[in-house]
Amino acid sequence: MKKIISIVGHTNVGKSTLFNYLVGYRKAITDYTHGVTRDRIYCECKWRGNNFTLIDSGGYVFGTKELEKKIIEQFLLAIEEASDIIFILDILSGILPIDYKICNILQRSKKKVFIAINKIDKYKYTIFDIKEVFNLGFKYFFFISSLNGIGINELLDSIFVDANESYKNVINYNLSILPRITIVGRKNVGKSSLINTLLNKKQRIVCDQPGTTRDGIEVFYKKFNFKCILIDTAGFLKNKIKSEYIEYFSFLRTTKFISSSDLCFFMLDVKIGFNKQDLKVFNFIKKKIISIIILINKCDLIKEKNELQKLKNNILKKIYPFTDVPIYFISNYTKKNIIKAFKKGINIINKQKKNISTSSFKKIMLTIIERNQFRNRNKFAIKYCVPIFKKGINQFIFFSKNPNLIPSSYKRFLEKKIRENFDLVGIPIKIKLLKMSKLKKKNILLYE
């Protein structure tokens, strides 16, 4: 059985720094601000031949507000899921009353606990009483530095020393080759609720407070005989608050997740509609040639169908000419159209894997072009065209005598005809116009 190791502790003790060190890159956002991490973050790791799942949790907090309750709930779920727990203490602050509260929770869980006393590299700035650690009642404790890696090897060796069996990876597929579906949208539109609905469990914190999600979270999902990685992202950032480091870093993470996706579920709030910020992000996804499905959430709040149709028409008007986008009115509360939209996403991802043959594309498109040439056809004549497919990205190259003189309206015409003939619903495409002089045999082979 594969180990699941959760990193727990109160806020700002270095949990995410340790998580990033073990993962090998900056997967979790870290900052001196308290309470940056809120949801559980997962990653598959390996130590001396042992595969294990690592979980970063939000810091335990005292409080009765809704968001604080949700963070505590995620903290308890991280403990429940774990086979082993790394409990981090801060050597600078010493053992605080909140640490004793966490100890009581861990003792009741009856899980194997390893205490990691962090920031040992700054020990000269504090007076730490080691006797207090023994009073916590746990057998294993280590002095570490999450930032510099001091003592981490010994910590992991101790976790796996009792492993009498070889911990084989129970997942028999490579996560890196699975399709990636990213859920994007402004703050508080229901992205985390959608993840919870699809997984049928409380994977993400859901709260009325905007900006609850800060880290992008990747979770494995398997349903309808389809495996993928679902990614929940932070809400969009407005330019006026770019000075806020955590918010801005969350925004950069979101753009990175979008760029590595196979499909984006673009979520809107039915009460707010489709504004300029939504259009900017939509165009960013389109520019990256990532497939899109638009989900308009909270449709159960609107009773009149005419209002929904008006909103849909307004969206199509704003995203023109790329109007070949599936739009679904959904509700996380009633679960309306969620499965229908997800199945459409599966259909689009599977469609991306099917290449269009150069011969059939050339035959169809050159026939259409011949019937719809410009009056002065000798100047603009398109003599050859070829499709390019790379990781599901669709680009189409047309060779002309004077490509710079062809108006953008004709490019839109070509896109329309490509969509009509090759069923590319929800898939952005890119059309390039090149000079005939570049049409050489060696170049064609590169395109194909």
Side-chain angles (χ1 to χ4, degrees):
M1 182 180 177
K2 185 175 64 170
K3 282 185 179 289
I4 300 174
I5 302 172
S6 288
I7 303 173
V8 303
H10 65 77
T11 58
N12 212 27
V13 292
K15 298 184 299 299
S16 294
T17 305
L18 176 60
F19 180 84
N20 289 340
Y21 183 87
L22 294 175
V23 170
Y25 64 96
R26 197 174 187 181
K27 186 176 177 69
I29 296 176
T30 57
D31 189 67
Y32 291 114
T33 308
H34 285 265
V36 174
T37 302
R38 293 170 174 174
D39 296 285
R40 289 166 291 154
I41 305 174
Y42 294 75
C43 194
E44 298 300 317
C45 299
K46 193 171 186 177
W47 176 256
R48 303 195 194 282
N50 298 301
N51 294 300
F52 65 98
T53 300
L54 190 66
I55 304 175
D56 184 18
S57 64
Y60 188 83
V61 292
F62 288 128
T64 56
K65 293 181 180 179
E66 184 184 0
L67 179 57
E68 291 166 340
K69 288 180 179 178
K70 298 288 186 181
I71 293 172
I72 293 170
E73 183 180 29
Q74 290 290 306
F75 176 89
L76 295 175
L77 286 171
I79 294 173
E80 184 182 332
E81 289 181 332
S83 58
D84 299 86
I85 295 167
I86 299 175
F87 174 30
I88 296 191
L89 301 175
D90 189 335
I91 200 170
L92 298 179
S93 62
I95 299 176
L96 303 176
I98 196 169
D99 292 315
Y100 287 107
K101 176 67 175 176
I102 295 170
C103 278
N104 289 335
I105 296 170
L106 295 177
Q107 285 166 349
R108 289 198 301 269
S109 73
K110 297 182 180 179
K111 301 291 176 72
K112 196 169 183 179
V113 177
F114 298 83
I115 295 177
I117 305 163
N118 193 25
K119 306 180 186 178
I120 187 64
D121 50 322
K122 299 180 181 179
Y123 181 67
K124 61 182 179 180
Y125 300 110
T126 186
I127 299 174
F128 187 83
D129 189 357
I130 191 64
K131 293 178 182 177
E132 292 186 47
V133 178
F134 292 107
N135 293 334
L136 296 177
F138 296 111
K139 181 180 178 182
Y140 307 96
F141 66 91
F142 301 85
F143 289 94
I144 70 164
S145 169
S146 297
L147 191 62
N148 300 322
I150 299 170
I152 293 177
N153 289 3
E154 292 78 5
L155 171 63
L156 291 178
D157 283 341
S158 181
I159 291 174
F160 288 99
V161 72
D162 295 329
N164 296 322
E165 57 180 322
S166 60
Y167 289 92
K168 297 179 179 178
N169 193 343
V170 294
I171 303 177
N172 57 2
Y173 41 79
N174 188 349
L175 294 178
S176 63
I177 64 172
L178 291 179
R180 298 169 63 83
I181 299 176
T182 301
I183 302 171
V184 298
R186 73 168 72 88
K187 295 177 180 180
N188 215 29
V189 295
K191 301 184 296 296
S192 297
S193 294
L194 179 62
I195 290 280
N196 290 345
T197 302
L198 289 170
L199 296 176
N200 197 28
K201 66 177 181 178
K202 295 178 181 179
Q203 179 70 32
R204 309 289 279 126
I205 292 178
V206 177
C207 181
D208 291 334
Q209 178 180 322
T212 304
T213 299
R214 286 174 168 175
D215 261 309
I217 308 294
E218 303 173 49
V219 293
F220 172 73
Y221 185 69
K222 179 182 178 183
K223 205 163 187 180
F224 313 114
N225 200 28
F226 179 79
K227 303 184 187 81
C228 69
I229 301 295
L230 289 177
I231 305 167
D232 185 15
T233 61
F236 298 156
L237 175 74
K238 293 182 180 178
N239 293 331
K240 64 181 181 181
I241 59 171
K242 274 191 178 181
S243 58
E244 296 183 21
Y245 168 78
I246 296 171
E247 296 288 338
Y248 185 52
F249 200 82
S250 296
F251 174 76
L252 293 179
R253 284 285 178 87
T254 297
T255 60
K256 185 178 179 181
F257 282 123
I258 290 171
S259 301
S260 64
S261 300
D262 296 278
L263 172 74
C264 281
F265 281 131
F266 189 89
M267 290 193 73
L268 304 172
D269 188 316
V270 73
K271 290 284 189 178
I272 300 173
F274 192 80
N275 61 21
K276 290 182 179 179
Q277 185 69 14
D278 293 314
L279 183 59
K280 283 182 182 178
V281 178
F282 181 90
N283 287 334
F284 175 80
I285 299 170
K286 180 184 172 184
K287 185 179 179 181
K288 295 293 181 180
I289 324 182
I290 308 297
S291 299
I292 310 173
I293 293 178
I294 295 176
L295 304 178
I296 305 172
N297 193 24
K298 308 177 186 178
C299 68
D300 51 304
L301 302 178
I302 304 295
K303 302 302 179 184
E304 296 182 13
K305 290 186 178 180
N306 289 339
E307 298 249 343
L308 299 178
Q309 189 59 44
K310 281 181 185 177
L311 177 57
K312 184 175 181 178
N313 292 338
N314 181 50
I315 293 170
L316 292 173
K317 184 178 179 180
K318 288 182 177 179
I319 64 175
Y320 181 84
F322 180 34
T323 57
D324 198 12
V325 181
I327 299 177
Y328 291 93
F329 291 95
I330 69 165
S331 169
N332 285 322
Y333 180 70
T334 64
K335 298 181 174 54
K336 179 181 178 182
N337 285 336
I338 289 177
I339 298 302
K340 188 176 180 181
F342 188 80
K343 285 184 176 179
K344 183 65 176 179
I346 295 173
N347 180 261
I348 290 174
I349 289 172
N350 290 333
K351 202 181 297 176
Q352 285 177 326
K353 298 175 184 177
K354 298 178 182 178
N355 292 354
I356 300 171
S357 70
T358 301
S359 56
S360 63
F361 179 75
K362 185 172 63 173
K363 182 179 178 181
I364 293 171
M365 291 308 298
L366 290 181
T367 303
I368 292 171
I369 290 167
E370 186 66 28
R371 293 173 184 168
N372 298 274
Q373 283 281 14
F374 294 93
R375 290 180 183 178
N376 197 347
R377 62 196 303 163
N378 291 327
K379 282 188 178 181
F380 305 104
I382 293 174
K383 296 294 185 181
Y384 193 84
C385 55
V386 60
I388 303 173
F389 290 85
K390 187 179 180 182
K391 295 182 180 179
I393 295 176
N394 303 290
Q395 298 186 52
F396 302 91
I397 298 180
F398 293 84
F399 294 90
S400 169
K401 289 184 178 180
N402 296 288
N404 294 333
L405 299 178
I406 296 177
S408 57
S409 59
Y410 197 73
K411 283 182 72 174
R412 291 196 294 270
F413 167 78
L414 292 174
E415 179 174 341
K416 181 182 176 182
K417 292 302 175 182
I418 290 171
R419 292 190 175 283
E420 285 178 0
N421 288 275
F422 298 100
D423 187 22
L424 298 172
V425 175
I427 304 174
I429 63 175
K430 190 172 184 179
I431 293 175
K432 287 185 178 181
L433 299 172
L434 299 179
K435 283 190 175 183
M436 287 292 294
S437 59
K438 294 187 177 181
L439 182 57
K440 298 177 181 179
K441 189 172 183 180
K442 59 180 181 180
N443 287 336
I444 294 172
L445 290 174
L446 286 176
Y447 296 135
E448 296 181 355

